């Protein structure tokens, strides 16, 4: 939604198209989740 | 190591068209851009009584990079999205507001936040450059628009404007940003009365197939093109004039500070050849016609994002017994330059951060791009390894966020010190042989970086390695007189006063007054956010005021979460104004970061996580923070309730 469909474009969050295929978005999501788990675990 | 020529520069004095003592009528107070005020009611003896006089809250919470102006009792300031506020400078009462109604989607192509650094003033008119490229003249009394002109007609690139316009005689000048995403730089002068274009100067050559630009730069462009190779025009070449422009009324010249190459990597940009004029240079132009006079290139053949857009300060100096008109600059590349304004000749240089030959650099430490300057030729003495030839991967410093970024430095003719908000960022460089330009991504030509190791000790060591400090630079000696160390990078611009004080706001949100001679901390105020632009001072009815515009944001806060305090930005930008005996209570706002609700792991597959880190680095990090570590201005995706289904 946010990343591919430009749901927040009107707030200055870019819309990503062909340059970012779905599996890359999925990989980014995995990376972000991993970082979130890291900071939650080390607090 | 210290370098300088045999000349002694001494007894620098105030220069340029000076504003009446009590006001602050242009970006750097007056045309000299010294940011030195002759006011001295607030001084080393009285500063302990300094307190908050009034406060004004802006409407928006994105980054505030503005240096305010004060003209005839009115304080003018900008917030994010180029909104202008006019306030009674004695009490903060709003007089008018001018909102150029920038389409927020423009923010998506801004490398470094929707910020605005400030305004120009002439003859009852305020000039603002909007993020979307319009230059607008506004009636200083009423806030009504007088004229507006779109300045981004110099090519089809993702330009935005964040800089402050400057007045040069009857003209108002503005450049633009975009070289980090691919753009061709230029600066344009407009008539202050009518908004009519007077001249334009392109800083890098265009595609030869397109013929001349019909611009003031045409006269020199054939020579400029000889310093380029390959198909440099494909990503614009870069060289945007996104910050510094200084007007020299005495010599009828303007000096423009020119930015980095697009893409960064010269191997891709210019077949690894040539100096690539006028990247990373100061260029002197005829103020009336825009014709080239001379240039000094601080970083020939830039390949490290080494912009020379930083503050250009004018002063009169005695060099080897002779009066000289000089300018000084501390660009990103780590050196401090003193240049003769008539000829463009380098008079002296020194390094403001430690620079060494590769052979003298401890193993594992970042290497310096250069270890000195040859004073005869004015050229840097480079460490060749720093150009990351072939497939090499090297950590180089300083770079990117600079030894000194745009946060304005100040200069006091009283002490002959320049006060530089400095830091020493290193970055890893490795050429990407398969590089293809991608829309919405950095035009670097480099292999993408990955995540930051999940090791808190290492993370805090990396953050500390940035060594942020305020440097009082003795210009004659080309060495630091004193330094004040900061725990975080991203500290604000500087004000120097005749009260023997310098004022600077830290990334920790604390506003400080420091003894200009000794570096001793004299006074602090916890503003809870940073004044990234410079503080200003003015006097009305016998009272001296100090004003700051605060609000975290901009390149450092968006990308550099690792070296920022993990504290959320205030809900809106603010103006805080101080005077002796000021007693307004400053209530506290909770700036703790949002809680983390750790999601279920998506995968533990290292290859997928690695690819995610890499793609995040290319597409998301500039706004949401390198390594996923946010500066807490835009959403921290690790703490976002919606990132899971984004």
């Amino acid at each position: 939604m946010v990343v591919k469909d430009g749901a927040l474009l009107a707030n200055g969050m870019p819309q990503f198209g062909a340059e970012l295929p779905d599996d890359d978005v999925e990989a980014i999501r995995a990376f972000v989740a991993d970082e979130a788990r890291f900071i939650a675990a080390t607090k | 190591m210290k370098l300088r020529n045999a000349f002694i520069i001494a007894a620098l004095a105030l220069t340029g068209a000076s504003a009446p003592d009590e006001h602050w009528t242009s970006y750097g107070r007056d045309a000299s851009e010294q940011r030195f005020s002759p006011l001295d009611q607030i001084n080393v003896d009285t500063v302990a009584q300094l307190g908050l006089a009034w406060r004004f809250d802006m409407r928006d919470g994105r980054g505030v990079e503005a240096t305010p102006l004060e003209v005839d009792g009115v304080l003018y300031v900008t917030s994010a999205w180029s909104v202008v506020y006019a306030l009674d400078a004695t009490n903060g009462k709003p007089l008018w507001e001018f909102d150029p109604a920038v389409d927020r989607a423009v923010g998506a192509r801004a490398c470094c936040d929707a910020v605005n650094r400030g305004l120009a003033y002439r003859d009852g008119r305020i000039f603002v450059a909007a993020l979307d490229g319009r230059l607008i003249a506004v009636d200083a009394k009423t806030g009504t628009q007088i004229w507006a002109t779109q300045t981004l007609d110099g090519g089809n690139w993702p330009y935005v404007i964040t800089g402050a316009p400057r007045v040069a005689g009857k003209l108002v000048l503005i450049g633009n940003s975009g070289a980090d995403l691919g753009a061709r730089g230029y600066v344009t002068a407009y008539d202050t009365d009518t908004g009519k274009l007077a001249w334009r100067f392109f800083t890098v050559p265009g595609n030869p197939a397109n013929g001349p630009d019909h611009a003031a730069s045409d006269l020199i462009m054939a020579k400029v093109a000889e310093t380029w190779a390959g198909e440099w025009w494909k990503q614009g070449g870069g060289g945007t004039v996104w910050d510094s422009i200084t007007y020299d009324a005495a010599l009828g010249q303007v000096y423009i500070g020119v930015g980095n190459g697009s893409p960064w990597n010269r191997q891709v940009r210019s077949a690894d050849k040539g100096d690539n004029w006028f990247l990373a240079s100061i260029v002197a132009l005829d103020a009336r016609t825009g014709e080239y006079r001379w240039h000094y290139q601080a970083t020939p053949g830039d390949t490290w994002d080494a912009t020379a857009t930083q503050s250009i300060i004018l002063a009169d100096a005695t060099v080897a017994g002779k009066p000289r008109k000089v300018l000084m600059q501390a660009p990103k590349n780590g050196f401090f330059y003193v240049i003769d304004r008539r000829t463009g000749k380098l008079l002296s240089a020194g390094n403001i951060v430690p620079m060494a030959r590769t052979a003298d650099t401890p193993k594992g430490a970042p290497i310096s791009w250069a270890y000195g300057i040859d004073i005869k030729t004015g050229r840097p003495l480079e460490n060749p390894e720093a150009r990351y030839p072939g497939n090499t991967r090297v950590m180089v410093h300083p770079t990117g966020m600079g030894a000194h970024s745009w946060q304005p430095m100040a200069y006091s003719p009283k002490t002959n010190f320049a006060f530089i908000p400095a830091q020493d960022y290193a970055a890893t460089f490795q050429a990407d042989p398969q590089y293809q330009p991608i829309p919405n991504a950095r035009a670097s030509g480099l292999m993408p970086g990955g995540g930051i190791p999940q090791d808190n000790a290492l993370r805090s060591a990396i953050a500390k390695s940035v060594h942020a400090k305020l440097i009082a630079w003795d210009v004659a000696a080309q060495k630091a007189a004193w330094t004040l160390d900061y725990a975080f990078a991203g500290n604000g611009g500087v004000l120097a006063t005749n009260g023997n004080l310098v004022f600077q706001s830290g990334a920790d949100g604390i506003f400080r007054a420091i003894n200009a001679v000794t570096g001793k901390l004299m006074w602090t105020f916890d503003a809870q956010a940073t004044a990234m632009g410079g503080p200003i001072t003015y006097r009305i009815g016998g009272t001296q005021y100090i004003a700051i515009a605060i609000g975290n944001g901009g390149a450092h806060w968006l990308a550099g979460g690792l070296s920022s305090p993990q504290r959320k930005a205030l809900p809106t930008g603010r103006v805080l104004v101080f005077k002796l005996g000021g007693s307004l209570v400053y209530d506290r706002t909770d700036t703790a970061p949002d809680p983390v609700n750790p999601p279920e792991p998506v995968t533990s597959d290292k290859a997928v996580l690695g690819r995610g880190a890499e793609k995040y680095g290319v597409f998301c990090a500039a706004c949401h923070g390198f390594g996923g570590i946010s500066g807490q201005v835009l959403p921290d995706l690790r703490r976002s309730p919606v990132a899971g289904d984004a």
Side-chain angles (χ1 to χ4, degrees), chain B residues 352-524:
Chain B
I352 63 166
V353 295
M355 305 289 272
R357 284 177 200 266
T358 306
D360 301 332
T361 306
K363 255 210 147 15
I367 59 175
S368 308
W369 75 275
Y371 57 89
I373 308 291
D374 178 336
I375 208 76
K376 279 218 180 64
T377 62
R379 292 185 73 90
L381 304 166
E382 287 190 21
N383 284 317
E385 310 77 18
R387 286 194 177 269
Y388 47 99
N391 204 22
T392 56
R393 185 175 173 82
V394 285
M395 181 123 86
V396 182
H397 86 110
T399 177
M401 308 271 198
H404 172 219
S405 191
W406 65 268
Q407 286 77 1
M409 71 173 184
Y411 166 77
S412 165
K414 226 174 141 155
T415 52
N416 195 21
F417 294 167
F419 300 97
I420 313 164
Q423 50 206 18
D424 193 359
Y425 267 94
T428 303
F429 289 84
Q430 182 179 8
D432 178 356
Q434 254 100 56
Y435 175 75
Q436 289 296 332
I438 321 170
N440 291 323
R442 296 255 141 165
S444 69
L446 303 174
M447 295 297 277
I452 299 172
Q454 290 183 344
D455 172 341
N456 280 331
L458 186 65
R459 286 183 177 195
S460 84
I462 297 174
K464 283 208 187 77
S465 73
V466 171
H467 297 298
K469 51 183 67 143
L470 172 62
I471 303 177
W473 190 255
D474 181 330
V475 176
Q478 286 284 14
K479 64 169 206 226
W482 53 261
T483 60
L484 179 76
D485 290 343
Y486 282 105
F488 302 103
N491 304 299
V494 187
L495 161 70
T497 76
N498 201 27
N500 260 334
L501 291 170
V502 290
F503 290 85
Q504 190 191 21
S505 169
D508 53 10
I510 295 175
F511 184 41
R512 294 165 170 83
I514 303 137
N515 184 312
V517 179
T518 63
K520 185 168 173 246
L521 188 62
M522 306 295 287
W523 172 88
T524 61

Side-chain angles (χ1 to χ4, degrees), chain A residues 1-4 8-17 19-20 23-40 42-43, chain B residues 62 104-105 107-108 438-440 454-456 459 596 598-603 608-609 611-613 615-616 619-620 624 627 637-639 643-644 646:
Chain A
M1 277 283 294
V2 171
V3 176
K4 297 288 285 183
L8 296 178
L9 183 61
N11 295 342
M13 160 71 202
Q15 176 173 10
F16 294 93
E19 72 274 17
L20 201 63
D23 60 335
D24 282 353
V25 176
E26 194 54 20
I28 291 173
R29 208 162 67 77
F31 161 70
V32 169
D34 195 51
E35 287 294 326
R37 292 178 63 80
F38 169 70
I39 53 169
T42 58
K43 251 215 293 247
Chain B
R62 294 282 289 270
R104 297 315 193 239
I438 321 170
N440 291 323
Q454 290 183 344
D455 172 341
N456 280 331
R459 286 183 177 195
V596 208
E600 290 305 309
V602 177
T603 175
V608 175
L609 291 173
R611 187 160 54 90
K615 295 291 174 186
Y616 175 93
F619 292 103
C620 320
H624 292 289
L637 299 184
R638 302 166 306 174
R639 300 166 196 271

Side-chain angles (χ1 to χ4, degrees), chain B residues 6-20:
Chain B
F7 296 134
I8 306 248
I9 297 177
L12 290 153
L14 211 90
T15 188
S18 68

